[in-house]
Amino acid sequence: MSVGQPYHRLPVIDVIDETPDARSFVLRVPAELGPAFAYRPGQFLTVRVPGAARCYSLSSSPHTDQHLTFTVKRVPDGVGSNWLCDNLRPGGLAELSAPAGSFSPGRLDTDLLLLAGGSGITPVISIIKSALSEGDGHVALVYANRDQRSVIFGADLRDLAARHPDRLRVHHWLDAVCGPPTVDRLVPLLRPFAGREAFVCGPEPFMEAARKALDDLGLPAEQVHVERFRAVLDEPSEEATVATAEVTLDGVTHRLPWPATARLLDVIIEAGLNPPFSCRQGICGACACRVLHGEVHLVHNEILADEDFADGYILACQALPLSATVAVTYH
């Protein structure tokens, strides 16, 4: 478990146009922050923009790239993506917290099956570069996009495939040519690689089809790793405050105003407390606490089971208030 992580301002030394709607931001990490920004392939950064904070995966590899790089694709009405693409320039400062996340292979010297849709290629290319550099296994990538213009890192993938023809196999799936990926069409495509550890990242429909195809092929759930891009923190207006959180932490109870659109973990951290947490995406369980009374809604959950809910446990990082008062305890 870890406590609240501070934000740091890192200089932007380059901005790379990857596609018409995707940009990579290259950062310089000062020597004194080197240990804090050490990372594993596939991890993400939490980036602050005016009024919000968002998670963006690192597209750089700790094994092959000199500088920390994250990649952002514009989304319609996206608070973070549009602000970053419109405003962050070389010479500017990016405000972000240290790398986090568990979407990373435990070993790089093994065969991997990687499935990416759209900007889901961002953490996947970090894994590819690292595996080809540090391991000796084979890597298969299925990469789905709307059309050729949407392919992020197309030149990089061609270069990697040319340099590692016996180890890297890339299959591009273009909706404009093939239609959207479906389970029945993915199954035969993935069958030759079904025994490998799989990593899946992309839009929800793509990930659902990929997960169902892998399940149909008999791949155990523990060999399938899924990464979702989600908003981490929204900073609502004062009038959105509709609830009170009674938080018992380290034996002391704190009464905190809880905005209707804020996650409980963010409310607790903003109050200056240090609750346990790690991934902030509902997949690790480090922020779990127990509800004593009141009701909450969990935006996302990949770790708590029915018996955990029966015992009153929730994930603070995903909890929104449903009642006027919610009391929780950490122990």
Side-chain angles (χ1 to χ4, degrees), residues 194-210:
R196 304 183 182 185
E197 190 170 16
F199 291 80
V200 184
C201 186
E204 194 66 34
F206 170 79
M207 292 197 296
E208 284 302 312

Side-chain angles (χ1 to χ4, degrees), residues 28-258:
R28 181 176 62 82
V29 180
E32 63 272 16
L33 292 178
F37 280 88
Y39 65 102
R40 302 191 309 274
Q43 290 194 298
F44 63 86
L45 300 168
T46 301
V47 185
R48 265 186 177 164
V49 300
R54 297 291 186 266
C55 291
Y56 296 105
S57 291
L58 289 157
S59 53
S60 54
S61 162
H63 305 287
T64 65
D65 296 304
Q66 179 181 1
H67 298 293
L68 202 71
T69 302
F70 69 97
T71 302
V72 177
K73 181 179 180 180
R74 290 184 186 269
V75 296
D77 301 319
V79 173
S81 64
N82 286 294
W83 189 91
L84 289 167
C85 289
D86 289 340
N87 294 280
L88 199 56
R89 297 286 184 269
L93 295 173
E95 188 174 6
L96 38 83
S97 64
S102 58
F103 189 72
S104 184
R107 297 168 47 202
L108 293 173
D109 58 346
T110 187
D111 294 341
L112 298 173
L113 171 58
L114 310 174
L115 298 99
S119 59
I121 190 64
T122 305
V124 167
I125 197 165
S126 176
I127 294 172
I128 292 173
K129 291 186 287 188
S130 300
L132 294 176
S133 170
E134 302 302 302
D136 56 7
H138 294 81
V139 180
L141 167 67
V142 176
Y143 183 21
N145 283 283
R146 293 190 308 272
D147 50 41
Q148 189 63 46
R149 281 169 50 87
S150 304
V151 177
I152 304 173
F153 307 128
D156 300 272
L157 290 170
R158 287 192 296 273
D159 177 65
L160 289 167
R163 288 194 284 121
H164 303 276
D166 298 327
R167 296 183 56 207
L168 175 62
R169 179 174 176 178
V170 179
H171 180 94
H172 286 282
W173 184 301
L174 302 180
D175 292 359
V177 177
C178 307
T182 59
V183 175
D184 60 337
R185 297 181 67 189
L186 283 173
V187 166
L189 180 62
L190 303 181
R191 182 171 284 116
F193 318 108
R196 304 183 182 185
E197 190 170 16
F199 291 80
V200 184
C201 186
E204 194 66 34
F206 170 79
M207 292 197 296
E208 284 302 312
R211 292 180 69 173
K212 182 62 166 59
L214 293 170
D215 184 62
D216 287 356
L217 289 168
L219 196 65
E222 60 269 20
Q223 286 185 231
V224 180
H225 309 272
V226 176
E227 180 78 317
R228 289 179 169 86
F229 297 132
R230 296 183 180 274
V232 176
L233 172 64
D234 292 304
E235 297 177 3
S237 59
E238 286 299 316
E239 57 267 25
T241 300
V242 297
T244 297
E246 296 180 354
V247 180
T248 301
L249 179 64
D250 297 328
V252 179
T253 299
H254 309 265
R255 290 178 58 86
L256 310 173
W258 187 355

